[in-house]
Amino acid sequence: MVSISLRNVCLDYPLYGAYDYSLKRRLLGRLIREPAEMRIIRAVDDVTIEAETGARIGLAGPNGSGKSTLLRLIAGVYPPSSGGIAIQGNVVPLLGLNAGVNLDFVAEDNIALLLRISGRKPTRTMIDEIWAFTELETRMQRLPLRMFSSGMLMRVLFATATAFPADILLLDEWLSVVDEHFAEKAEERLLNLVSQAAIVIIASHDQPLLRRICTSVINLDHGRIASIVTVEPPATHAFQLREQRA
Amino acid sequence: MHHTQQTSHDTPRRPSVLHIFKIYYPDLFGGTLTVIRDICASLKDAFASAVLVCSQSAEKRQIVVNDVPVERVRSFGNLLSLPAAPTYPWRLWRKIAEHDLLALHAPFPLADLVFAFGFGRKRPLVVHWHADIVTHAGLRWFIEPLMRRTLRQAKAIIVSDHVLVDNTPLLREFEDKCHVVPFGIDTSGYDWPKIEAHHVNDRGRLVLACGRLVPYKGFDVLIRAAAAHDFELWIIGEGVERPRLAQLIEELGLSERVRLLGSVNDCERIKLMCLADVFVMPSLTNAETFGLVQLEAMAAGRPVVNTALDTAVPRVARHGLEAITVPPGDAGKLGEAIDTLIRDPERRRQMGFAARTRALSRYSATAFRQGMETVYRDAVTAPSEQRTMNVEPPPATAWFDSIRIAATLAWSDMRHRYVRSLLGPFWMSLQMAIVVAVLGSVIGQMSNADVLSRLPMLALSMTAWTFLNSVVLDATTALQNSASLIRDRALPPVIFLLQCTFRQALFALHNACVPLLLWLVLSPHDFSHGLAALPGLLLFVVCTFALSLVLGAMATRYRDLKPIIESTLMLAFLASPVIWSSDMISHRSTVMRLNPLTHLFAVWREPLTGSPIDPVSIAYVLVALALLIGASLLTLVHLRKAAFWI
């Protein structure tokens, strides 16, 4: 049983200025009784989300409205300041593509390393399958990533990140990073991945994309839920087609 | 009694409350205990109470006081006003799970310690703020962070008067959680004997005081005041100050008029209060927050003399209305105030009447019960702040995963060195070989000892030192360097601190070829010593990891620590026998003996040379390890917030 339950979750995000990183400054401040004021913003404010198997939730909102922070909160990167979070199922956060990449290593080693970081034992066939998806030449597997163009690099990273299904998938805006030809193929793969996951939460500015993928879209504003829109399912149509083909 | 039958038809199960304090009846009588007892008694229909305290008596651990089960943890005396009960935190931790609500009666740092480590987080906690820490104010810097953590965890903080919130900086931080519930008193017991004019003591000069005989109660001031005036003074209570007070009475020649009555039961005390003409509360410090006894005296219709503290004391019995308030610690003013009342029966009568009225109307037991019940109920029913469960699924596998990922990352770091150059980490080994050669020749110049036979040990010491130094220094920047994996892949930060130890261990294995070669060439080969050194070496590695964990986290939070750590490590290195062996210097310097690094090296170097380890070194290392493990556990709790720092 996979589920996400956030009840009245708040997150106070401390903003550390240059002085807040200094222990000397802090101790001195205490000696001369200067009030140590810590700036705090409420990045997530009283958010309640209940999601069961099958939920595809889109997070929309302007920059700084707390989309990424909310995803990180669910992923367990930040502890909530108050409220309750209960999650069942394994969470795979894909928030930044280039986390853990070592540009000096050859491509296949990087793929193997990334797979290990996400808890899988890489095999030759796995790497070959991932490589096939990138549509890059086989000999490039032996080249260090430093020599790849940024577009090619993104293909490799995208292919690796999306290679395996997850119970709960957290995605932050990163479809836009790939070039146009690849974008179509990437979206298809993403949709495929989404269709295999039990719960998907996706943060994006791309309203049409959210409408295609999600069952409901949550609009965030200053960390609060401004509105929840339920999307009528033209999206499921695409899924059914694929299932019939498979 | 009839309560026993009552339990049979309890309809729904009453939520249970665990009262946490340092001491309870029958070991002591006092205001705080009265409050706990009254809470237990007045809420017995709504809550099932239990008490966990310490006791110095070796008698039964489990007793029942007024129908309330009390568990008493063995204490071996008092240390800085705290019971020395080493098993208390453990018992508390065990008991937490059995109750629905925890009621901590602060200040009690021993319990704060338990909550500071995050235990009991799943149970709602209510803090009764009885007093601030005044007597041992020097320990504040240590206690206050603990208390802050407890208060942060608390659902509600109960104070007896709002003035406490205003005057206590720590409470002001949590103002929105504070609830003012003034203590209440059941006045029915005080109706005997009838308060009438003719009942007032004919001599008109009996002064009563009541409280534990401890310094802050100011009874010595009261006794001095008695010396200058002509009234009779009875003091109810027991405590450590008794011999001193008795001596003072003797010295001032007051044995005729001043009596220490010792502990007195409730009924007797009420009788005495009704008998007395004036009640005095000469307390000296803000440790006296409310003064429940003065409320009792008021209920008995007595005028009060109290002191101008920054607490509720002068607000319960107000100057000019129910009391005369004098500056604390001023024997002259205190004596005068008492004398004024003694000489003026009419004023005494008026004040006594006003006092009784105030006790009845403002501090009623009903209001107290309702106030407490509301706070307790809200705390129990408030949605419990369950913490993120996904961070700690089945912990064993999570830990194993973390270690595996750390090992993978460390392995890839090592391979990275080989990618850049064919020799890889052996470049560093080469460098170290040169250092050892140079150092060896320098030492050879300085002492006449046989340099060649020392070289393997020197090389091995340098390898170990390089390991420790690099692990700690790497750890100071590890979290920042892995920011994207922590924030975007939600990997636990501890992985990257572990990675430092693993990586440097791999490099140390490369470096170890230098001492190994030297040993093969220069020394007689005896493997048994190597085996004996293994436990010490393990201690060394564990200490190194714990140190890097603590310092790594701190240096990430406070960026200015890194240069300090660097220079401290260098100093510790120079003041330790890493390059010297202990017998090169005939008697070790004090600095060297105090330096933990000395002992951390000694525990594996001594067995390696075949000599026995100094027990002092073992003790030193084990204590350091215990401290480091404690600090590491605390760090692990804090590491949850590491994503904010990077």
Side-chain angles (χ1 to χ4, degrees):
Chain A
M1 184 60 205
V2 179
S3 71
I4 296 179
S5 156
L6 278 71
R7 269 167 288 113
N8 307 94
V9 172
C10 296
L11 178 73
D12 290 321
Y13 197 104
L15 294 171
Y16 294 115
Y19 285 149
D20 298 317
Y21 277 122
S22 164
L23 185 65
K24 278 173 275 184
R25 175 87 191 178
R26 191 160 158 174
L27 292 177
L28 267 180
R30 189 166 285 189
L31 275 184
I32 57 175
R33 305 223 168 260
E34 183 186 281
E37 53 164 303
M38 181 77 78
R39 273 159 304 158
I40 283 175
I41 54 162
R42 183 149 277 205
V44 174
D45 193 359
D46 199 21
V47 167
T48 300
I49 296 174
E50 300 281 343
E52 296 282 327
T53 306
R56 275 98 186 82
I57 298 173
L59 298 177
N63 287 329
S65 57
K67 299 188 297 289
S68 305
T69 313
L70 185 58
L71 287 180
R72 291 204 168 100
L73 199 64
I74 296 171
V77 176
Y78 302 128
S81 310
S82 69
I85 297 185
I87 289 173
Q88 285 178 332
N90 83 324
V91 183
V92 174
L94 298 176
L95 304 180
L97 273 181
N98 46 2
V101 174
N102 193 329
L103 293 178
D104 285 331
F105 283 0
V106 298
E108 61 177 345
D109 286 351
N110 260 304
I111 294 174
L113 180 63
L114 288 172
L115 289 177
R116 276 187 196 277
I117 288 176
S118 47
R120 283 173 203 284
K121 203 173 156 56
T123 61
R124 189 67 244 170
T125 41
M126 271 188 207
I127 295 175
D128 284 341
E129 270 172 30
I130 291 171
W131 199 257
F133 181 77
T134 62
E135 296 179 348
L136 297 172
E137 287 173 58
T138 316
R139 61 180 176 84
M140 287 186 79
Q141 274 191 39
R142 308 295 313 164
L143 287 181
L145 282 186
R146 196 176 286 291
M147 297 180 178
F148 283 46
S149 75
S150 62
M152 295 195 295
L153 182 62
M154 277 305 150
R155 287 184 182 210
V156 176
L157 298 180
F158 180 88
T160 313
T162 52
F164 290 98
D167 288 351
I168 299 172
L169 201 56
L170 306 177
L171 301 168
D172 202 353
E173 182 101 55
W174 43 260
L175 258 189
S176 49
V177 291
V178 285
D179 59 65
E180 242 171 73
H181 161 69
F182 194 64
E184 212 172 294
K185 198 177 166 190
E187 190 174 328
E188 192 188 336
R189 182 164 164 118
L190 189 66
L191 285 173
N192 186 31
L193 187 68
V194 162
S195 69
Q196 288 174 43
I199 298 179
V200 178
I201 303 187
I202 222 173
S204 178
H205 287 289
D206 187 351
Q207 284 281 358
L209 172 88
L210 291 183
R211 285 182 181 282
R212 277 202 305 280
I213 294 177
C214 301
T215 52
S216 65
V217 175
I218 296 175
N219 288 301
L220 289 173
D221 185 38
H222 291 98
R224 296 187 145 270
I225 294 184
S227 63
I228 300 180
V229 184
T230 312
V231 181
E232 291 312 318
T236 52
H237 181 62
F239 292 148
Q240 280 161 0
L241 273 181
R242 186 170 303 103
E243 274 161 18
Q244 277 162 15
R245 253 188 316 186
Chain B
M1 311 198 315
H2 64 277
H3 298 309
T4 40
Q5 284 123 34
Q6 212 176 335
T7 48
S8 58
H9 55 84
D10 265 352
T11 26
R13 197 185 75 90
R14 295 170 300 166
S16 65
V17 187
L18 180 68
H19 290 276
I20 302 159
F21 193 50
K22 52 185 168 190
I23 195 162
Y24 200 58
Y25 300 105
D27 294 330
L28 187 84
F29 293 84
T32 310
L33 302 193
T34 316
V35 174
I36 300 175
R37 188 197 58 194
D38 287 355
I39 294 171
C40 293
S42 61
L43 296 186
K44 67 169 187 288
D45 292 334
F47 291 91
S49 303
V51 179
L52 181 69
V53 290
C54 308
S55 170
Q56 285 187 46
S57 81
E59 286 164 39
K60 281 194 297 182
R61 306 286 84 190
Q62 314 273 355
I63 59 171
V64 173
V65 180
N66 296 348
D67 293 342
V68 174
V70 177
E71 174 169 344
R72 308 192 296 171
V73 180
R74 184 87 168 93
S75 150
F76 304 95
N78 278 313
L79 197 70
L80 301 167
S81 307
L82 263 187
T87 53
Y88 190 91
W90 189 75
R91 282 307 304 162
L92 175 56
W93 178 59
R94 303 292 307 163
K95 293 278 272 186
I96 281 171
E98 299 169 17
H99 296 274
D100 302 312
L101 178 67
L102 308 174
L104 169 66
H105 295 265
F108 186 26
L110 207 54
D112 290 329
L113 209 60
V114 175
F115 294 116
F117 276 104
F119 297 114
R121 192 178 276 146
K122 294 195 188 96
R123 289 278 176 273
L125 171 72
V126 170
V127 175
H128 289 263
W129 186 269
H130 291 285
D132 202 350
I133 290 190
V134 178
T135 318
H136 298 286
L139 291 176
R140 270 209 91 85
W141 64 271
F142 174 68
I143 305 281
E144 195 169 287
L146 294 180
M147 295 204 289
R148 185 174 286 118
R149 290 183 65 93
T150 308
L151 293 181
R152 200 172 292 151
Q153 221 182 100
K155 283 273 182 324
I157 302 164
I158 299 175
V159 293
S160 54
D161 195 296
H162 201 274
V163 72
L164 291 175
V165 183
D166 297 336
N167 288 336
T168 317
L170 189 59
L171 281 187
R172 243 176 299 157
E173 292 174 30
F174 301 96
E175 201 166 350
D176 49 334
K177 279 188 196 174
C178 291
H179 299 262
V180 178
V181 181
F183 295 141
I185 186 161
D186 181 10
T187 44
S188 59
Y190 294 82
D191 293 335
W192 180 98
K194 284 276 181 294
I195 291 150
E196 283 166 23
H198 72 263
H199 244 100
V200 173
N201 191 332
D202 293 336
R203 290 175 299 179
R205 56 190 188 93
L206 177 58
V207 175
L208 188 70
C210 178
R212 282 178 298 136
L213 304 184
V214 290
Y216 82 81
K217 292 283 183 183
F219 291 132
D220 50 335
V221 179
L222 179 58
I223 292 170
R224 286 210 179 81
H229 297 275
D230 182 35
F231 54 77
E232 199 147 323
L233 171 62
W234 292 359
I235 299 174
I236 302 174
E238 203 51 75
V240 286
E241 285 282 282
R242 185 172 185 124
R244 225 168 59 80
L245 293 175
Q247 193 192 350
L248 184 65
I249 294 169
E250 196 73 32
E251 276 169 14
L252 295 172
L254 298 173
S255 314
E256 289 279 293
R257 292 193 283 125
V258 179
R259 290 170 58 188
L260 298 177
L261 303 182
S263 284
V264 158
N265 68 30
D266 283 2
C267 177
E268 206 58 27
R269 187 170 79 242
I270 293 172
K271 210 187 281 178
L272 282 169
M273 282 190 172
C274 293
L275 267 176
D277 299 301
V278 178
F279 183 84
V280 187
M281 204 169 63
S283 298
L284 300 177
T285 68
N286 290 344
E288 190 73 76
T289 50
F290 188 87
L292 198 64
V293 275
Q294 70 171 344
L295 186 58
E296 289 174 355
M298 287 163 72
R302 298 301 104 188
V304 175
V305 176
N306 58 17
T307 46
L309 301 172
D310 290 331
T311 63
V313 170
R315 296 159 63 97
V316 174
R318 296 162 298 178
H319 179 65
L321 295 168
E322 299 92 17
I324 297 180
T325 303
V326 299
D330 188 335
K333 290 262 172 57
L334 186 69
E336 274 169 38
I338 298 171
D339 211 41
T340 317
L341 287 174
I342 293 285
R343 279 190 275 107
D344 190 347
E346 178 52 27
R347 186 155 179 211
R348 249 181 9 237
R349 202 189 56 76
Q350 276 175 7
M351 274 194 171
F353 186 69
R356 184 165 162 84
T357 315
R358 184 165 168 81
L360 283 174
S361 57
R362 180 80 210 281
Y363 298 99
S364 80
T366 326
F368 178 61
R369 198 199 68 223
Q370 282 167 351
M372 296 302 303
E373 201 173 329
T374 314
V375 175
Y376 277 19
R377 246 185 227 302
D378 289 351
V380 172
T381 52
S384 76
E385 286 185 18
Q386 245 179 323
R387 293 295 167 159
T388 35
M389 286 299 154
N390 55 341
V391 185
E392 44 222 336
T397 58
W399 272 104
F400 183 71
D401 280 349
S402 293
I403 292 172
R404 222 189 39 200
I405 294 177
T408 307
L409 289 169
W411 186 256
S412 112
D413 284 342
M414 194 200 64
R415 286 195 34 195
H416 191 200
R417 296 291 174 103
Y418 281 106
V419 168
R420 284 193 167 162
S421 72
L422 198 64
L423 276 181
F426 283 111
W427 274 117
M428 293 191 312
S429 311
L430 211 61
Q431 199 183 337
M432 212 194 61
I434 296 168
V435 169
V436 169
V438 172
L439 273 177
S441 71
V442 170
I443 292 167
Q445 296 288 318
M446 275 161 53
S447 72
N448 304 325
D450 176 17
V451 180
L452 281 184
S453 69
R454 290 195 186 287
L455 272 185
M457 186 52 90
L458 177 64
L460 189 59
S461 301
M462 283 304 293
T463 307
W465 161 250
T466 311
F467 169 69
L468 187 146
N469 191 39
S470 340
V471 167
V472 174
L473 290 189
D474 276 5
T476 56
T477 50
L479 295 183
Q480 282 146 271
N481 293 341
S482 309
S484 70
L485 278 175
I486 294 174
R487 289 157 62 101
D488 295 339
R489 287 297 175 88
L491 292 185
V494 68
I495 286 179
F496 305 99
L497 297 173
L498 201 57
Q499 180 195 357
C500 296
T501 304
F502 285 172
R503 179 197 321 147
Q504 292 302 336
L506 286 172
F507 292 166
L509 287 179
H510 282 82
N511 286 350
C513 65
V514 178
L516 190 69
L517 278 176
L518 287 170
W519 179 71
L520 286 175
V521 174
L522 296 172
S523 303
H525 303 164
D526 185 356
F527 291 99
S528 62
H529 291 334
L531 226 54
L534 274 184
L537 213 50
L538 189 69
L539 273 178
F540 178 82
V541 173
V542 172
C543 281
T544 303
F545 170 61
L547 189 69
S548 74
L549 187 66
V550 175
L551 292 181
M554 283 183 66
T556 311
R557 175 64 188 85
Y558 298 110
R559 300 288 161 81
D560 54 343
L561 270 179
K562 188 174 188 286
I564 299 176
I565 293 171
E566 270 170 36
S567 54
T568 312
L569 275 177
M570 189 42 85
L571 270 181
F573 170 65
L574 292 176
S576 73
V578 175
I579 25 182
W580 340 101
S581 71
S582 52
D583 52 319
M584 281 173 72
I585 307 155
S586 52
H587 53 274
R588 301 193 220 166
S589 69
T590 321
V591 177
M592 210 176 261
R593 253 183 295 124
L594 288 177
N595 187 356
L597 215 55
T598 308
H599 304 285
L600 208 51
F601 274 86
V603 288
W604 56 268
R605 281 201 338 175
E606 303 292 319
L608 212 54
T609 54
S611 47
I613 317 174
D614 187 1
V616 176
S617 291
I618 299 180
Y620 210 105
V621 169
L622 287 180
V623 168
L625 184 66
L627 288 177
L628 280 173
I629 287 177
S632 303
L633 291 177
L634 209 60
T635 306
L636 284 177
V637 174
H638 274 283
L639 268 181
R640 289 166 49 83
K641 289 182 290 192
F644 292 131
W645 307 335
I646 50 182

